[in-house]
Amino acid sequence: MPLSDIWFILIGVLFTGFIFLEGFDFGVGMSTKFLARNDLEKRVVMNTIGPVWDANEVWLITAGGAMFAAFPHWYATAFSGFYLPFVVLLLAFIIRGVAFEFRNKVDSEAWVKTWDWAVFIGSILPPFLFGVFFTSLIRGLPIDRDMNMYASFTDFVNVYTVIGGVTFVLLSYLHGLLFIGLKTVDELRERANTAARKVYALTGVFLVLFIIFTYLDTDAFTDHGAILIPLYSLAVILYGLLFFFLKTKREGLSFTMTGLVLIIVMANFFIALFPNVMISSMDPAFNMSIAEAASGEYSLKIMTIVAFTMVPIVLAYTIWSYYVFRKRLTGDKEHLEY
C-alpha cells in the first residue's frame, strides 16, 4: 500500500478519534443549557470533562497538522475554500476554552451567564460546522483543474449539509448526555439518562435522513455501495440496540453504541472520498486524488517513522488519563475545578 494511502487512513483515524472523544465534550457543553438547573449542576456537568476536554482537542490539531504535512494541496484548497467557516470554528473553540476557565473568576451573575452562553455556543457550533464540512466534501465542491475552490454560500449550506450538521449536533448531544450519566450520581445522573431517552427518537430520524440524502445527493453509494451499505446498516442496527440499552439503563453499553455510530459515520466519509481527498462538482476530471495531493515519498517516509513512534505513546497517555479520572463526580464543591 502506498504511503499516501496510509496517511489518508491515518488522517481519517485522527478525525474519527476526535469526533468520538470531542463529541461527548460538545454534548456536555450543550447540556449546561438544557440539563443543568442551577450553578452547582452546571459546574458538575463541566467538571465531567474538566480533566480531558483540552487533550481531546489535540486529536484535531494532530489531524490538521497531518493534512498540512502529508497532503499540502488538500490542506491549501480546503483551508482556503472553507476560510470563513474555519475562522468561526476556531473562534468557537477559543471562546469555549476561555469560558471554562473564566466563568468562576468573578462573583457576578451577569458574568457567569455570559460565559455559560459562551460554553453553549462554543459547543453547538463545532459539531454543526464539522457536519457541514464533511458532507460538503463528499457532495462535491467547485474545484478547477488548478485545485482552486470557488464555492458559494449554497455549496456550503444546502439541505444535505444542514441535515449533516444537525445530525452531528444531535449525536454529540446524545453522546454527551450518556457520558454525563456515566460520570454523575443521583438526580443529575437520572435526569441525563431521561433526557437521552427523550432525544433518542429525534436523533434517529436525522440519522436516517442523513443516510437517505447521502444516497440521493452524492455518488457515495454508487462508487462505494458495497462497503457503505453494510456499514450504514450496521450503524442503524447499533442505534436500534441503543433503545434497548437506554430502556434497561445500561449506561456503559449505551455510551458505547453512540460512540460506535459516530465512528461509523465518520469512517464512511473517508470511504466515500477514496481514492480522492476532494471531489469536484465542476468536472470529475478535476477531483483531487490522494496521489496528486500528497507530499513527496521521502517526506511521507520520515513522517511515518515519527508517527508510528509517537502515536502509541499518545494513545497510552490518553488511556491512562481516562483511567485516572474514571470515578463519578458527587457534586462536592471543594473538588470542582470549574
Side-chain angles (χ1 to χ4, degrees):
M1 181 183 291
L3 286 177
S4 56
D5 288 356
I6 292 174
W7 273 96
F8 179 76
I9 294 171
L10 181 58
I11 289 170
V13 170
L14 290 170
F15 273 113
T16 301
F18 167 75
I19 291 297
F20 172 82
L21 294 172
E22 193 71 1
F24 63 76
D25 285 354
F26 296 143
V28 168
M30 287 182 255
S31 298
T32 60
K33 186 62 64 177
F34 295 124
L35 184 70
R37 292 178 177 174
N38 53 53
D39 184 66
L40 177 59
E41 288 189 350
K42 288 179 181 179
R43 292 183 64 192
V44 172
V45 167
M46 291 181 193
N47 275 269
T48 61
I49 59 172
V52 297
W53 68 266
D54 48 355
N56 291 342
E57 291 183 358
V58 171
W59 287 72
L60 176 62
I61 297 169
T62 306
M67 281 181 64
F68 173 76
F71 299 99
H73 297 295
W74 184 14
Y75 180 92
T77 301
F79 276 69
S80 59
F82 284 91
Y83 183 80
L84 183 57
F86 283 172
V87 168
V88 174
L89 177 66
L90 180 60
L91 290 174
F93 277 120
I94 292 172
I95 196 173
R96 188 183 67 141
V98 171
F100 283 143
E101 303 295 338
F102 275 35
R103 74 179 299 275
N104 286 321
K105 298 300 183 184
V106 176
D107 187 15
S108 165
E109 184 178 353
W111 173 274
V112 172
K113 283 186 176 180
T114 298
W115 292 115
D116 284 347
W117 274 107
V119 170
F120 174 72
I121 294 170
S123 298
I124 199 171
L125 275 179
F128 180 79
L129 291 173
F130 275 111
V132 169
F133 172 66
F134 284 108
T135 50
S136 296
L137 285 184
I138 64 172
R139 183 175 186 266
L141 292 158
I143 301 170
D144 65 13
R145 67 173 70 250
D146 298 318
M147 304 183 187
N148 296 313
M149 186 194 300
Y150 300 96
S152 64
F153 179 78
T154 55
D155 290 308
F156 298 140
V157 181
N158 49 70
V159 174
Y160 176 52
T161 60
V162 169
I163 289 174
V166 174
T167 301
F168 265 63
V169 169
L170 290 172
L171 280 174
S172 296
Y173 181 51
L174 181 58
H175 199 39
L177 287 171
L178 294 173
F179 184 75
I180 293 171
L182 283 173
K183 294 291 291 182
T184 57
V185 296
D186 302 329
E187 184 185 355
L188 189 56
R189 173 187 179 186
E190 184 60 35
R191 206 184 313 139
N193 290 326
T194 301
R197 290 192 290 272
K198 289 180 178 178
V199 79
Y200 172 84
L202 179 63
T203 306
V205 168
F206 270 89
L207 178 62
V208 172
L209 280 175
F210 166 73
I211 295 172
I212 291 172
F213 272 84
T214 299
Y215 174 78
L216 295 175
D217 215 28
T218 76
D219 294 327
F221 282 90
T222 302
D223 297 336
H224 303 284
I227 302 174
L228 294 182
I229 292 173
L231 282 177
Y232 276 127
S233 299
L234 176 60
V236 172
I237 291 170
L238 292 174
Y239 199 79
L241 285 174
L242 174 59
F243 177 78
F244 171 76
F245 294 136
L246 285 172
K247 192 173 182 180
T248 55
K249 299 183 179 180
R250 306 285 290 275
E251 295 171 333
L253 288 172
S254 297
F255 179 74
T256 302
M257 292 302 104
T258 54
L260 288 174
V261 170
L262 279 168
I263 288 171
I264 291 172
V265 170
M266 277 302 302
N268 284 347
F269 281 125
F270 287 87
I271 292 170
L273 281 174
F274 190 85
N276 303 300
V277 293
M278 297 192 78
I279 296 172
S280 174
S281 59
M282 298 173 70
D283 189 331
F286 300 156
N287 289 353
M288 190 185 303
S289 71
I290 292 173
E292 291 172 336
S295 293
E297 191 72 13
Y298 179 76
S299 297
L300 292 176
K301 187 178 297 184
I302 297 298
M303 289 172 57
T304 303
I305 295 171
V306 173
F308 281 90
T309 302
M310 298 304 297
V311 167
I313 298 173
V314 174
L315 288 174
Y317 170 76
T318 301
I319 294 169
W320 176 80
S321 63
Y322 275 92
Y323 176 77
V324 169
F325 296 105
R326 68 190 182 279
K327 293 183 179 179
R328 294 179 182 270
L329 296 176
T330 61
D332 185 352
K333 291 183 180 181
E334 295 181 359
H335 295 93
L336 297 179
E337 179 181 0
Y338 300 127

